[in-house]
Amino acid sequence: MSIMSPIPALRGPEGTGLRVEGEALLLRTAQEEVHIPLMAVGRVRAEGRAVAVELAALAGATPAVYRLEEVDGAAAAAFADAVNGALPERSEPVDGITYISGNRLTDQHAVRLFRRLKRGALHGLLVIAALCVLVCVTGHPVALIAIIPTGLFGLLFLILGAGGAYPPYEEWYLRKRGVTVAADRVSGEPGTYVYVDPMGLHRTVRKFAPSWTIDVAYDPQDPGRVVVLRTRAMWWLDVTLASAGLLIGFLGAAGAVTATVLALLGVGGF
């Protein structure tokens, strides 16, 4: 049975939501989107200010459940009734989880790193400003011509090096602690590959490659956290570039501090 009229979408906090899209439900969580075909749905339950999508399951199996919290209670009840009335009739039991696919929206580890880098950049600018004030109030403003460029140059490369170190670290971590599987290319969708997590959920990963399969590694505690495995040479190249950036950054920072110390000591013409 198909849906004849539009069903209003449910909206949760911070961009989360659940809506009908064609013959499927699209559940958006804080980290990923889950595509749930109606043929895979057993029933939808309204539970106060939450809605639960219970998947169809084979006899004796415990059905998987996807939930959306903090929605309007009346809207949740109306949504559940409308979707339940639109579910297709099945002549035999199906395992709903085999029809589900997911796509990670955000990498929380990368988001946290980005926040730390922003804080680090702010703190670095404050340190540079403090050094500039120090040499000015002590009567050595000429030292600014060394402190400002070396300090900013060093801070820039520290940020670039720290950011560049994240991809090789993530790959190293998941190679060591994660599960390595083959992801198969999706026919007709260049650059899109699919792997199956322990729950049977089909998850997508993107990489433009000529092969039909690629090796990926995912975190067993968070199967949406995944990396495409590269050759060791490419991994070492990233490590080398990140290390070089950090080294240059430290040298620049050291130059700014050294210029300040020399100015305070009255050495080097400052």
Side-chain angles (χ1 to χ4, degrees):
M1 180 178 180
S2 60
I3 298 176
M4 301 303 294
S5 59
I7 298 176
L10 293 178
R11 302 192 182 280
E14 299 180 358
T16 61
L18 177 64
R19 69 176 189 270
V20 176
E21 188 172 271
E23 295 295 320
L25 300 179
L26 190 64
L27 173 64
R28 186 184 183 96
T29 68
Q31 293 187 348
E32 64 186 356
E33 282 187 341
V34 182
H35 184 267
I36 310 173
L38 292 181
M39 65 179 298
V41 178
R43 60 174 175 158
V44 179
R45 304 192 306 267
E47 301 175 347
R49 295 196 61 204
V51 62
V53 180
E54 181 180 301
L55 301 185
L58 301 177
T62 302
V65 177
Y66 290 91
R67 295 175 60 83
L68 177 65
E69 307 281 352
E70 298 183 45
V71 297
D72 180 78
F79 184 89
D81 289 341
V83 174
N84 286 332
L87 294 179
E89 297 181 0
R90 287 184 290 268
S91 58
E92 57 184 24
V94 299
D95 184 4
I97 195 66
T98 61
Y99 297 94
I100 311 303
S101 61
N103 183 37
R104 180 58 58 100
L105 297 175
T106 59
D107 183 344
Q108 292 300 315
H109 299 275
V111 170
R112 285 195 291 270
L113 173 64
F114 182 68
R115 289 173 180 165
R116 291 170 184 166
L117 291 178
K118 288 198 298 184
R119 287 197 297 269
L122 176 60
H123 293 159
L125 290 173
L126 291 176
V127 170
I128 294 171
L131 294 178
C132 293
V133 171
L134 180 61
V135 297
C136 286
V137 299
T138 55
H140 305 283
V142 69
L144 295 178
I145 62 175
I147 294 173
I148 293 176
T150 56
L152 294 178
F153 183 80
L155 179 61
L156 173 62
F157 274 87
L158 283 174
I159 297 300
L160 291 176
Y166 174 73
Y169 168 78
E170 186 78 346
E171 184 174 347
W172 169 82
Y173 178 86
L174 292 177
R175 274 185 183 272
K176 185 177 181 180
R177 303 287 181 85
V179 178
T180 300
V181 297
D184 300 320
R185 189 167 70 186
V186 178
S187 180
E189 296 185 29
T192 302
Y193 292 79
V194 172
Y195 66 100
V196 182
D197 73 9
M199 293 295 294
L201 178 64
H202 292 69
R203 295 181 177 272
T204 58
V205 62
R206 308 209 187 292
K207 177 180 174 62
F208 287 96
S211 57
W212 282 101
T213 63
I214 57 175
D215 289 332
V216 301
Y218 66 83
D219 185 345
Q221 304 302 318
D222 179 13
R225 180 186 180 186
V226 61
V227 297
V228 177
L229 300 181
R230 301 170 298 169
T231 64
R232 293 288 183 180
M234 292 301 297
W235 182 84
W236 275 110
L237 177 61
D238 271 3
V239 171
T240 301
L241 292 175
S243 299
L246 290 171
L247 177 59
I248 294 172
F250 280 121
L251 291 176
V257 173
T258 301
T260 303
V261 173
L262 292 177
L264 295 178
L265 294 176
V267 178
F270 293 124

